[in-house]
Every structure is written in structure tokens, then in C-alpha cells.
């Protein structure tokens, strides 16, 4: 029988290393976190395959490679406070919890937020808090953040998120329309966001309660 760890080793080698992901902390974290625990039962056998999977409420757990690209760009350290928008299954939250000091994650679907909280607690993550609400507003009560990861696509970078990024902080966010998006990497330099464009991607939309 192929164990989950064997499947993760194959995922890391063939989907990540082979495509240029080199950051050892990111590769280690992706080797450790049991992705299958975040995938609903009917799709569990496909947990380590090279594509996104449904997690309910028309949402998806992102493809491993896309997650790795985002994490590598963010270059999170063990001193960092990180904000994640779009908890979804909680898989990326767990990876961030391995890489950062503190993770604050916001999910607008109550059921998904509740499920992610349960899975993360069962796996023993204590440096994570999952909030239910509109992530386009960020979390002003705990801001500023060293890094912000947005797992849903927006037409532009939400201003509240920019204002909650610390000097020298990094953000990754998919920007574009519903069917064509590009990962944007933002770094806050001397109070100004410096933006560079990365991989084309496809995420579910970031839905703002304010339209
Ligand atoms: N990283 C997650 C991806 C989840 S898909 C994973 O791998 O499982 C994107 C998530 O963003 C969905 O769960 C969706 O409900 C959530 N979302 C969309 N708009 C949001 C908003 N304004 N605030 C918070 N979460 C939002």
C-alpha cells in the first residue's frame, strides 16, 4: 500500500522540485502537512494529484504547485505574523502555521471556517486563528502583518489589505477577471507597494460583502 508520506514525497519531487520550487522550508512543510486530512472523503484518493479539488460550497483546495509558488514568493519566517484570506479547507493555513509564528485566517463561509478550525485543532496547530467574515477588510484588530496570502481572485488589490501590510511586508494575490488571472507579488517599500507580476492562475472569486 502506498502511504500518504510516500505520496507526499512523490508530490514534492515531481510537482514541486521538478518545476523549480527550491525553498527548503516550503518543500519540508509540504512534505509534513497531511493534505488528505483537508480533502473531503469522496476525493481523498486524489489528495496528492496535480490539480485542485472540490471542498464544498463551490470552493476548491488549491493545486499543490500553485500553493508552493505562493509560499515561496512570500518567504515567510518563524518570526512572521501572517494574514490569510480564504481559509477554505485550511490546508494553506496549516502550511503557514508550519512556516510562521502566528497565522490569522479569514473565511466568509461559516461551514468551511468551522470545518477548517476542527481539522487544524485535531492536527495540533496552536498558532492559528480562523475568523469568519469578509477578508477584503483584512483584520485591523491584529494588523499589521509581515505577509498576506490571498487565495481568491480580486479585480484589484483590496486597499484595506495594503494598509495592513507592514513595511518590508509581502503579499501574494491573484488579480484579474473570473476566467483570467495573474498572481501579483506586492512588497511594501518605504510605505509604497511595489508590484511584480507572476504566474497565470485560476482561483475562485474573492467575494466582498460590499460588492
Ligand atoms: N487555500 C484554500 C483555498 C480555498 S478557495 C485551500 O487550499 O483550501 C478560496 C476561499 O476563499 C473559499 O473558501 C471562499 O469561501 C473564500 N472567500 C471568498 N471571498 C472571501 C472573502 N471576501 N473573505 C474571506 N474568504 C473569502
Amino acid at each position: 500500500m502506498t502511504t500518504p508520506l510516500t505520496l507526499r514525497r512523490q508530490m514534492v519531487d515531481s510537482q514541486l522540485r521538478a518545476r523549480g520550487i527550491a525553498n527548503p522550508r516550503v518543500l519540508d512543510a509540504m512534505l509534513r502537512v497531511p493534505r488528505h486530512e483537508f480533502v473531503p472523503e469522496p476525493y481523498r484518493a486524489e489528495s496528492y494529484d496535480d490539480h485542485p479539488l472540490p471542498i464544498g460550497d463551490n470552493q476548491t483546495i488549491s493545486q499543490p504547485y500553485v500553493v508552493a509558488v505562493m509560499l515561496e514568493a512570500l518567504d515567510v519566517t518563524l518570526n512572521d505574523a501572517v494574514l490569510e484570506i480564504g481559509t477554505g479547507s485550511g490546508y494553506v493555513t496549516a502550511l503557514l502555521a508550519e512556516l510562521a509564528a502566528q497565522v490569522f485566517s479569514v473565511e466568509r463561509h461559516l461551514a468551511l471556517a468551522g470545518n477548517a478550525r476542527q481539522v487544524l485543532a485535531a492536527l495540533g496547530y496552536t498558532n492559528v486563528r480562523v475568523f469568519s467574515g469578509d477578508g477584503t477588510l483584512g483584520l485591523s484588530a491584529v494588523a499589521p502583518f509581515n505577509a498576506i496570502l490571498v487565495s481568491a481572485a480580486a479585480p484589484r488589490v483590496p486597499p484595506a489589505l495594503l494598509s495592513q501590510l507592514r513595511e518590508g511586508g509581502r503579499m501574494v494575490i491573484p488579480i484579474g477577471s473570473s476566467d483570467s488571472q495573474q498572481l501579483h507579488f506586492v512588497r511594501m517599500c518605504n510605505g509604497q507597494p511595489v508590484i511584480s507580476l507572476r504566474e497565470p492562475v485560476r482561483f475562485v472569486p474573492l467575494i466582498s460583502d460590499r460588492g
Side-chain angles (χ1 to χ4, degrees), residues 55 59-62 67 84-92 106-109 112 133-136 151-152 204-209:
I55 54 172
Q59 306 302 325
T60 55
I61 178 171
S62 310
V67 174
E84 178 190 33
I85 307 302
T87 319
S89 66
Y91 173 61
V92 176
V106 186
E107 169 56 55
R108 66 184 291 278
H109 268 290
L112 288 175
D134 180 2
T136 58
S151 283
V204 299
L206 183 73
I207 298 169
S208 168
D209 294 337

Side-chain angles (χ1 to χ4, degrees), residues 4-125:
L5 181 58
T6 306
L7 293 171
R8 281 203 291 287
R9 284 215 178 93
Q10 288 167 357
M11 172 189 85
V12 165
D13 286 339
S14 67
Q15 297 174 38
L16 310 185
R17 260 201 201 94
R19 290 181 186 144
I21 304 294
N23 183 319
R25 296 191 68 231
V26 170
L27 294 170
D28 276 0
M30 293 193 68
L31 199 55
R32 276 197 303 275
V33 173
R35 178 172 163 93
H36 61 281
E37 301 284 357
F38 297 89
V39 172
E41 198 58 68
Y43 306 100
R44 217 160 250 191
E46 297 171 59
S47 296
Y48 297 100
D49 293 359
D50 192 15
H51 50 72
L53 289 166
I55 54 172
D57 285 312
N58 283 323
Q59 306 302 325
T60 55
I61 178 171
S62 310
Q63 178 191 7
Y65 173 68
V66 172
V67 174
V69 166
M70 293 174 96
L71 292 175
E72 188 163 65
L74 274 188
D75 197 20
V76 173
T77 75
L78 277 177
N79 298 319
D80 287 347
V82 180
L83 174 67
E84 178 190 33
I85 307 302
T87 319
S89 66
Y91 173 61
V92 176
T93 325
L95 289 164
L96 289 170
E98 298 268 349
L99 297 168
Q102 283 292 329
V103 184
F104 303 91
S105 188
V106 186
E107 169 56 55
R108 66 184 291 278
H109 268 290
L110 275 179
L112 288 175
N115 187 66
R117 266 185 215 111
Q118 265 182 19
V119 177
L120 290 162
L123 290 173
Y125 290 105

